[in-house]
Amino acid sequence: MGWVENRILMWRPKNYWLAGSTAKVSLAFAGLVVGDGLYLADDTNYSISFGEAHVLRCNNSSQYMGVYQNDNPVKNLPVSTGTAAHPTLSGTKVIMEKLTSMIMDSSTYGVPATSAEGYKLKVDSCQRVTWSGEFIHAAPWSVAQQGNTPSSHGCVNVSPTEAAWLMSFTQVGDPVEFTGGGPSFQPATESAAGSTTGFLAAAQRPGLRQRDLGRPGLRQTRAHTHPRQHEFPRQHSICPRPW
């Protein structure tokens, strides 16, 4: 558990939610002092139902990503992850948002798009897994490297066909486990970064940081700053949403 910013507290359980289970949330807010003479009027209670268990397991060494449904293997996809200079972080992440397409622009993190390392390109089937700019996305330019050679700036490159299939399979909140080397992912640091580089900021202004062109279910949803009862879909992923 930790504060994303001074108004948003993120909590995740140690283990994944059980497929088909329900979590009940009770928030005793009534009477809570929130300012000079200001109080919250009501308690908040709601429940969340969790659907099938979808887990992606990406190996930065083998350059393959296994796709699992209820612990059963569905596909083993060839991928291309980050180079030694731009490594893909290891650890457990979650799918944070899904975009049919987006413009990835290296100038948003200080590398001119016209430079040798720069780019500005429309990219399809993008699924964010970190606030700092790692995505799973379609990368037709690296199909020859997928399954054998790291070639990206930190994202997970997959073929356009498999990227489109993943978009139809995953939900926001699905866990993505990265093994096989690379610096460790630090969720607390990523959460703090979300206040300036995350989805909410991106929805309000251009310049969302994308670290890669060689790299980024519930269907696409709008951003939420905090959960409200009427905003929850009927089923969630087994891994809680990254509020």
Side-chain angles (χ1 to χ4, degrees):
M1 180 166 61
W3 289 97
V4 178
E5 55 187 48
N6 63 357
R7 296 179 59 189
I8 302 175
L9 180 67
M10 178 187 291
W11 179 84
R12 292 178 182 167
K14 182 178 180 179
N15 300 311
Y16 300 149
W17 299 108
L18 293 177
S21 64
T22 300
K24 295 182 179 180
V25 181
S26 297
L27 302 174
F29 285 162
L32 183 67
V33 179
V34 294
D36 186 16
L38 298 176
Y39 301 82
L40 294 181
D42 302 308
D43 293 337
T44 297
N45 301 285
Y46 53 85
S47 62
I48 309 168
S49 297
F50 300 98
E52 293 184 325
H54 291 178
V55 180
L56 309 183
R57 297 188 175 113
C58 183
N59 190 302
N60 294 334
S61 177
S62 72
Q63 296 294 284
Y64 273 82
M65 181 168 66
V67 181
Y68 296 82
Q69 180 174 352
N70 297 324
D71 293 327
N72 298 312
V74 177
K75 282 193 175 188
N76 195 31
L77 306 179
V79 301
S80 183
T81 59
T83 63
H86 305 282
T88 300
L89 301 176
S90 64
T92 300
K93 309 164 192 176
V94 298
I95 293 173
M96 306 171 83
E97 66 170 319
K98 302 175 63 164
L99 301 169
T100 303
S101 65
M102 66 186 297
I103 300 297
M104 290 190 173
D105 184 351
S106 64
S107 66
T108 61
Y109 65 97
V111 178
T114 55
S115 70
E117 282 285 310
Y119 50 81
K120 185 175 183 179
L121 186 69
K122 177 177 175 286
V123 181
D124 294 329
S125 302
C126 302
Q127 303 194 58
R128 175 185 290 278
V129 293
T130 74
W131 286 126
S132 59
E134 289 187 11
F135 287 77
I136 302 167
H137 66 70
W141 55 85
S142 72
V143 169
Q145 287 75 44
Q146 291 166 24
N148 56 77
T149 307
S151 64
S152 81
H153 287 74
C155 285
V156 178
N157 287 190
V158 294
S159 72
T161 298
E162 299 296 7
W165 177 82
L166 279 171
M167 287 286 284
S168 69
F169 176 81
T170 60
Q171 295 186 94
V172 169
D174 282 352
V176 188
E177 302 171 355
F178 288 82
T179 59
S184 295
F185 172 64
Q186 301 295 329
T189 302
E190 284 292 326
S191 297
S195 62
T196 56
T197 62
F199 183 27
L200 291 176
Q204 295 165 0
R205 66 181 188 328
L208 170 63
R209 179 182 178 186
Q210 299 103 24
R211 280 180 27 198
D212 184 46
L213 254 203
R215 66 175 179 129
L218 226 174
R219 289 104 187 126
Q220 194 167 328
T221 61
R222 66 184 184 278
H224 300 298
T225 54
H226 58 278
R228 294 186 177 93
Q229 185 172 1
H230 68 277
E231 292 176 335
F232 284 110
R234 291 185 179 180
Q235 285 196 332
H236 282 248
S237 165
I238 57 168
C239 196
R241 282 185 168 201
W243 299 109

